Amino acid sequence: MIPRRPEPELMLEPEQARAYAEADFATPHEGFVDAFAEAFPGRVTGPVLDLGCGPGDVSLRFAARYPDCEVDGLDGATAMLAAGEALMAGHPAAGRVHLGEGCLPADRGPRAPYATIISNSLLHHLHDPATLWQAIVRDGAPGAAVFVMDLRRPDSTDAVQALVAEYAADAPDVLRRDFEHSLHAAFTPDEVRDQLTAAGLAGFTVTVSSDRHMTIAGRLQESL
Ligand SMILES: C[S@@+](CC[C@H](N)C(=O)[O-])C[C@H]1O[C@@H](n2cnc3c(N)ncnc32)[C@H](O)[C@@H]1O
């Protein structure tokens, strides 16, 4: 197994943010919402917190699937939020999606506590992964549904290169570079299980969901 190589937390470069916002993430992001629906069947109502929302593509897809919810997205990078303006413009669910600037662990969702918390591709950016799990415990209501998806770190540099070739061959240089760095920065399912145990979330389930992704799902404890 190759060692983890962290990358910068915030995606601050405008060129990087633009390339990310313009990329076609329809398959993994719709897959995110499908996998949420499988883990938590039924309606979603009220405010939802999307941690590390970036340009808001997942926030919008989630709001479109669940018409009775509103999504509060939180991200520390102005460039990513600005790059999302084009995605928001004219989107039928945009009126129920509110993206705001905020950096973990200092900032929190504006309507905490939330009954639903989602996060896609934030975990591998964090130098200290406990930041995500502590924010979820802090900002989640008792019994909250929590759903996180992230990349998994491959076993070898060759496996990293193979995934970059398969999924980013035609992508702009900046996106290909970011994907490679992200695979090196990602955690393994076993590392995430250890993080969850340390955060008091050992009841959460970690599932390998594709050749490069894992999902983490569970409910916060009900209050006693
Ligand atoms: C790979 S992007 C994912 C964006 C979005 N969730 C998506 O799936 O398209 C990761 C995002 O996390 C943000 N981020 C990283 N560290 C953060 C922190 N400590 N607090 C808030 N946002 C953070 C980055 O700025 C970036 O926009």
Side-chain angles (χ1 to χ4, degrees):
M1 176 58 69
I2 51 174
R4 178 180 192 227
R5 200 175 69 202
E7 62 177 339
E9 284 204 356
L10 299 178
M11 294 175 66
L12 296 168
E13 299 167 29
E15 188 204 351
Q16 174 188 42
R18 210 167 29 247
Y20 190 89
E22 287 171 1
D24 180 4
F25 289 120
T27 303
H29 290 180
E30 277 303 306
F32 179 99
V33 187
D34 289 342
F36 176 93
E38 202 173 306
F40 299 104
R43 292 171 66 216
V44 176
T45 58
V48 173
L49 179 60
D50 182 2
L51 292 169
C53 60
D57 188 53
V58 169
S59 311
L60 285 166
R61 290 176 192 276
F62 194 92
R65 184 79 64 95
Y66 293 105
D68 298 324
C69 82
E70 294 202 11
V71 181
D72 292 342
L74 196 68
D75 200 285
T78 324
M80 287 293 263
L81 295 167
E85 281 166 22
L87 293 179
M88 298 282 285
H91 191 288
R96 290 182 290 108
V97 173
H98 317 286
L99 306 186
E101 190 175 343
C103 203
L104 299 178
D107 296 311
R108 59 190 314 195
R111 287 187 274 185
Y114 290 84
T116 308
I117 300 184
I118 59 174
S119 181
N120 183 52
S121 279
L122 166 64
L123 180 64
H124 72 267
H125 275 273
L126 298 171
H127 294 168
D128 178 3
T131 299
L132 175 60
W133 308 119
Q134 286 165 1
I136 285 170
V137 169
R138 179 194 64 187
D139 287 356
V146 176
F147 189 81
V148 172
M149 184 166 95
D150 211 303
L151 295 169
R152 296 186 283 121
R153 189 168 77 256
D155 289 345
S156 65
T157 311
D158 283 352
V160 170
Q161 293 307 329
L163 288 170
V164 172
E166 179 157 2
Y167 294 105
D170 301 327
D173 286 352
V174 62
L175 209 59
R176 210 167 43 247
R177 178 205 70 186
D178 277 359
F179 184 44
E180 180 179 344
H181 289 176
S182 292
L183 288 166
H184 277 286
F187 296 97
T188 65
D190 280 343
E191 288 168 348
V192 171
R193 286 187 191 97
D194 289 346
Q195 295 164 18
L196 292 167
T197 300
L201 300 172
F204 281 24
T205 308
V206 181
T207 306
V208 169
S209 52
S210 83
D211 57 356
R212 58 204 188 285
H213 293 109
M214 62 181 146
T215 60
I216 301 112
R219 282 196 182 274
L220 296 183
Q221 273 197 325
E222 295 286 350
S223 50
L224 298 175

